Amino acid sequence: MSSSPVSTPPPRSTPGTVSADVPILVVGGGPAGSVAALLLARQGWQVELVDRDFFPRPKACGECINPAGVLLLEELGLLKEVLASRPSELSGWDLSTATGRLAHGFFAQGDRGIGIRRESLDHALILAAEREGVAIREGVSLVEVEPGNERRPARVTLRRKGTRGIEYRSARFLLGADGLQSRVARSLGLVRRHSAPGKASLTWRIEGEGPPRDRGRLILAQGLTVGLAPVDGGGDQSWNATLVVSHPATTPSLRDGGWNQAMEVMNRAQIPWIKAPEPSQGPWGAGGFHRSVSRVAEGRAVLIGDAAGYYDPLTGQGIYRALRAGHSLARHFSAHIPTPGSPHLSAADPNILESFHHSLTRATRPGTFLQRAIEGVTRHRRLRQAALTGLRVTPGLTSSLIRLTGNRPTTLLAP
Ligand SMILES: Cc1cc2nc3c(=O)[nH]c(=O)nc-3n(C[C@H](O)[C@H](O)[C@H](O)COP(=O)(O)OP(=O)(O)OC[C@H]3O[C@@H](n4cnc5c(N)ncnc54)[C@H](O)[C@@H]3O)c2cc1C
């Protein structure tokens, strides 16, 4: 992948106008950043994307794209590239307690989820963005942001991995798509302080045979959850196993004892392994979750994806929400900026981001409410068991829930 040198091109101002070095600078090449960059480049914008990592790279994640995410990738013409790595197709999820009580949920007919390694997904999207003309710069970290205003561009301080050299860059629009611990959000002072401790997680790639490979499994135990999903199609035996722990007090011992904990929960839940699986990659850690921001737009900077707030990995909606945010931002730009591409500042630019803030906040509210409700129920042992019993004995209820978390319309009781 190309990686241009750390340098600052000469400013392109013409008399009477103020210009930035680049019209759009995207920080972060996960699903939110790469899809936003790609769609904006398709509209004619000159886009530069920096990421502190080099692709392909792993990412702590359950690695399942829900049906709405799959449909969106198809709509954007990106599904073929994503499927090239031969990911697993998922027809639904099984939910169980640690004692093995099972409820089966199925996506609607014609819908499917995908279990895919993040190395493959994110690399496919970043290559697609590069093909659309986005300048991708890997190994470049954002250090600090000034958001700019009607008259001044956003300014960022960047550092290339392994060097002490600092680069300053200015942008007409700055997209912060730098994930859960967003430096852009922190640098802008937009992260809300929470008193409640968040969760922490460990993710492994494991090899094993036995469980059905067309479905994921979520095991809800006291204070922890284990997610298991196939991540390769075509006869491979790789799985993503993710352990999420509710109390960070246990985090220090997590890295050493985490795999044993995850295995114990899987054994109690009677996952039908033919032979005990072994981790082949990882673990990759993440946390704490439950992070929110006071606003997603400030001056000429806007946050999308996890950077704009994240609640809980439990419902597996993050990738869809990240793709959707990138898509919504690009649509918002095409609706409000008649002649894309220019690095010249317009005094109206911050208002455009402000109105995006309002529409994104409205659009994500129901999903966040659903996540909070599910998290509230699963946190308490009795409620969790009662809910699972309800799901098991009411035909169609588990499928309705699975379709809801798959961001697909559902009736109260799915057929
Ligand atoms: C344990 C766990 C399990 C999950 N399981 C699922 C699941 O099964 N399904 C699902 O849909 N979602 C899941 N999620 C959520 C999902 O991973 C995220 O919502 C999704 O990756 C968000 O995409 P993004 O583009 O916003 O950020 P990310 O994918 O995090 O990408 C951010 C990018 O920014 C880069 N970056 C960070 N800081 C800087 C910096 N300072 N300078 C430059 N670059 C920077 C990073 O290198 C990274 O490439 C899970 C999350 C966790 C933690």
Side-chain angles (χ1 to χ4, degrees):
M1 186 171 298
S2 71
S3 215
S4 49
V6 178
S7 64
T8 309
R12 278 170 288 163
S13 26
T14 51
T17 62
V18 182
S19 283
D21 294 338
V22 63
I24 297 181
L25 181 70
V26 182
V27 181
S34 52
V35 162
L38 176 150
L39 296 177
L40 289 164
R42 271 186 195 166
Q43 287 172 20
W45 287 94
Q46 185 196 336
V47 187
E48 184 173 308
L49 183 153
V50 298
D51 196 292
R52 66 180 175 197
D53 259 324
F54 292 86
F55 293 86
R57 54 102 182 92
K59 143 99 177 75
C61 183
E63 303 189 306
C64 292
I65 309 180
N66 71 15
V70 176
L71 281 173
L72 184 54
L73 286 169
E74 190 164 23
E75 194 186 309
L76 301 178
L78 297 169
L79 189 58
K80 206 167 141 219
E81 275 107 321
V82 168
L83 294 182
S85 66
R86 296 163 62 80
S88 296
E89 281 202 12
L90 303 176
S91 62
W93 281 83
D94 296 333
L95 309 179
S96 73
T97 60
T99 51
R101 285 198 247 175
L102 259 194
H104 303 283
F106 294 87
F107 299 135
Q109 192 139 28
D111 272 3
R112 60 179 162 165
I114 290 179
I116 182 167
R117 296 166 184 252
R118 286 296 298 264
E119 296 92 307
S120 309
L121 171 68
D122 294 22
H123 197 209
L125 296 179
I126 210 106
L127 287 175
E130 191 173 46
R131 274 197 298 277
E132 293 286 349
V134 176
I136 309 283
R137 300 178 58 204
E138 297 166 272
V140 177
S141 289
L142 174 115
V143 182
E144 216 172 355
V145 180
E146 272 176 49
N149 57 28
E150 288 83 355
R151 292 173 307 283
R152 277 204 324 271
R155 286 182 201 282
V156 297
T157 311
L158 302 172
R159 180 177 287 133
R160 181 177 283 281
K161 206 167 196 160
T163 69
R164 288 165 156 242
I166 288 285
E167 175 192 3
Y168 300 98
R169 208 96 166 90
S170 67
R172 178 173 166 191
F173 293 104
L174 175 74
L175 274 53
D178 51 341
L180 192 59
Q181 310 295 344
S182 173
R183 183 90 191 197
V184 176
R186 278 183 286 144
S187 181
L188 294 173
L190 297 177
V191 179
R192 280 205 186 109
R193 298 214 174 278
H194 286 282
S195 50
K199 298 179 176 181
S201 69
L202 284 181
T203 295
W204 298 265
R205 194 67 51 61
I206 64 176
E207 306 297 315
E209 261 180 89
R213 286 193 64 82
D214 65 336
R215 324 185 40 70
R217 168 83 82 101
L218 207 57
I219 311 165
L220 306 166
Q222 190 57 41
L224 52 90
T225 307
V226 174
L228 183 67
V231 287
D232 285 309
D236 293 319
Q237 297 298 339
S238 286
W239 301 81
N240 174 297
T242 294
L243 169 72
V244 181
V245 180
S246 300
H247 305 289
T250 60
T251 310
S253 60
L254 201 57
R255 214 161 260 281
D256 298 328
W259 174 244
N260 290 341
Q261 270 190 63
M263 218 32 229
E264 192 193 319
V265 172
M266 284 194 268
N267 286 338
R268 275 174 33 220
Q270 297 164 21
I271 303 285
W273 297 114
I274 293 171
K275 192 171 135 244
E278 288 291 334
S280 54
Q281 284 176 287
W284 299 290
F289 310 120
H290 300 199
R291 195 179 147 281
S292 63
V293 292
S294 48
R295 26 189 315 93
V296 304
E298 180 74 30
R300 294 177 171 276
V302 61
L303 305 172
I304 51 171
D306 283 4
Y310 186 73
Y311 188 61
D312 192 344
L314 188 65
T315 57
Q317 294 171 304
I319 298 172
Y320 166 69
R321 287 171 67 133
L323 296 169
R324 175 59 73 195
H327 179 228
S328 303
L329 183 76
R331 278 172 50 156
H332 196 80
F333 269 44
S334 83
H336 291 94
I337 307 176
T339 47
S342 166
H344 302 321
L345 308 190
S346 153
D349 293 340
N351 294 337
I352 291 166
L353 297 187
E354 178 68 23
S355 62
F356 177 71
H357 159 76
H358 292 299
S359 63
L360 188 71
T361 310
R362 262 196 314 276
T364 52
R365 206 171 282 145
T368 307
F369 176 78
L370 175 71
Q371 289 185 334
R372 281 180 192 276
I374 293 175
E375 148 81 3
V377 169
T378 53
R379 197 182 307 140
H380 303 286
R381 191 170 62 86
R382 288 226 171 103
L383 264 180
R384 188 172 60 242
Q385 292 195 332
L388 214 71
T389 304
L391 290 173
R392 273 192 325 132
V393 300
T394 317
L397 194 55
T398 313
S399 294
S400 293
L401 182 68
I402 294 301
R403 292 173 199 185
L404 258 183
T405 58
N407 294 97
R408 296 285 289 148
T410 183
T411 52
L412 191 57
L413 293 183

